[in-house]
Amino acid sequence: MTETAAQRRASTIGAARKGAIYGIIVSFSLAAVVGIIALLSGDFGETQGRIILTTLLMGATSITALCHLAIADRAMRIVGFVGLGASAVTLITGLVLIWRDWSDPGLEDWFKVFAVAGILAVSFAHANLLLLLAGRRRAVIRYGLMMTLVMIAAVAIMIILPIVSEGEIPGYDNEEWYWRLFGVVGILDVLGTVVVPVLAIFVKDAPAVAVADAMGADAPPAPAAGPEHLALTLPADVAQALQQRAAADGVDAPTAALEALRRGLL
C-alpha cells in the first residue's frame, strides 16, 4: 500500500469517526429538544413519540458505529466493517418499525431482523473495543482477550437463538438450565471485559521491535536482529508521528510500530 493510499484511508476513517460523534450529539440533542417542547406544550402524540424514537435510534447506532470504527485502521478492521453492516441493518429496520403502522401484519418479521441485527451490532461494538488490545503479546492478555471474545459471541448466540426459533430453543423443558448457563456465560463476559483492560494497563509488553529516534548517520548502531526482533532507525518526523500514535492508542512505541507494520502488510 502506498503512502498516499494509507493517508486517504486514515482521512476517510477520521471523517467517519467525526461523523459518528456528530451523529451522537445531534441525535440526542434533538431528542431532548423534542421531548422538552412536547412536555411544555402539553401536546405529546404519536408523531412526537416516533420522532424521539427515531433520534434515539440514530444516536444509539452512531455509538455502535463509533466503536466499530475504533479498529477500522488496524489489522482486524474486517471485524469493524462487519459491525458497521450490523449497525446499518439495525438502523434501517428500526426506522421501518418506528414509522410503519404498528397494526400492520408482518412487523414481527421486521422485529426479528431488528433484534438480531441490534444484538450483533452491540456485540461487535463490545468486541471491537476489546480488539484494541489485539496487538499485546503477553500471554495473559492474549488468552484473556480470546476467552472474553468467545464469551461475547456465546452471549449473543444464546440471545439470538430463542428469538429466531420463537422459543423452540431452548424449549420449555430446557429453559431453566439454558438461562442458568446464560447467566454463567454473562458473568464470564463481564469479568473478562473488566479484567483484561485493567491487566493491559498494568502488564506492559516486552518490546518486540527496537525503535531508534534518529536520522541516517546520526543513528546509533543497530543491535543484531534475531528471528523475532527487528531494529529500526526512524527519521525524526516518523518517530514523532509514531510517538503520537502510541500516546493516542495508549500503548508504547514498539507496540504502535508493530501495529503500523501489520496494517501495512496484512
Side-chain angles (χ1 to χ4, degrees):
M1 180 179 295
T2 65
E3 182 178 358
T4 301
Q7 290 175 344
R8 285 200 302 268
R9 187 176 70 184
S11 176
T12 301
I13 293 171
R17 287 171 177 165
K18 289 181 181 179
I21 293 172
Y22 292 148
I24 294 169
I25 296 173
V26 172
S27 297
F28 287 114
S29 298
L30 182 59
V33 170
V34 172
I36 291 172
I37 293 174
L39 290 173
L40 292 179
S41 65
D43 183 17
F44 189 88
E46 183 176 301
T47 301
Q48 288 79 4
R50 291 176 189 264
I51 293 174
I52 291 179
L53 288 175
T54 298
T55 53
L56 291 176
L57 175 64
M58 294 179 65
T61 51
S62 295
I63 291 175
T64 60
L66 189 60
C67 295
H68 304 319
L69 289 168
I71 63 166
D73 57 350
R74 296 177 177 243
M76 300 293 292
R77 53 185 171 270
I78 184 62
V79 184
F81 295 144
V82 173
L84 286 172
S87 293
V89 174
T90 303
L91 177 62
I92 294 170
T93 54
L95 290 174
V96 171
L97 288 171
I98 291 170
W99 289 100
R100 277 189 62 175
D101 186 348
W102 293 340
S103 63
D104 285 348
L107 283 185
E108 182 178 349
D109 293 334
W110 282 98
F111 177 78
K112 285 183 181 179
V113 177
F114 170 76
V116 171
I119 293 167
L120 291 176
V122 172
S123 299
F124 275 110
H126 185 183
N128 286 332
L129 291 179
L130 289 175
L131 283 173
L132 292 171
L133 302 173
R136 298 300 182 93
R137 294 176 300 279
R138 294 291 189 185
V140 64
I141 304 298
R142 289 190 290 110
Y143 293 133
L145 176 60
M146 286 189 291
M147 290 185 63
T148 304
L149 293 175
V150 170
M151 293 301 106
I152 293 172
V155 166
I157 291 171
M158 293 186 75
I159 297 175
I160 289 173
L161 285 177
I163 295 174
V164 298
S165 68
E166 297 183 350
E168 292 184 9
I169 299 176
Y172 180 78
D173 294 336
N174 302 319
E175 186 174 5
E176 182 176 354
W177 73 260
Y178 185 90
W179 294 114
R180 286 179 183 271
L181 179 60
F182 174 80
V184 172
V185 174
I187 290 172
L188 293 176
D189 181 359
V190 174
L191 178 65
T193 301
V194 173
V195 171
V196 172
V198 171
L199 283 175
I201 294 174
F202 293 102
V203 180
K204 298 299 183 182
D205 272 350
V209 180
V211 180
D213 179 5
M215 296 186 65
D218 296 331
E228 296 183 357
H229 293 79
L230 175 66
L232 297 178
T233 300
L234 301 181
D237 58 335
V238 177
Q240 183 180 5
L242 179 62
Q243 292 290 349
Q244 292 174 349
R245 170 54 67 91
D249 292 345
V251 298
D252 54 18
T255 301
L258 183 60
E259 284 298 312
L261 286 171
R262 283 176 174 164
R263 286 194 297 272
L265 296 175
L266 298 182

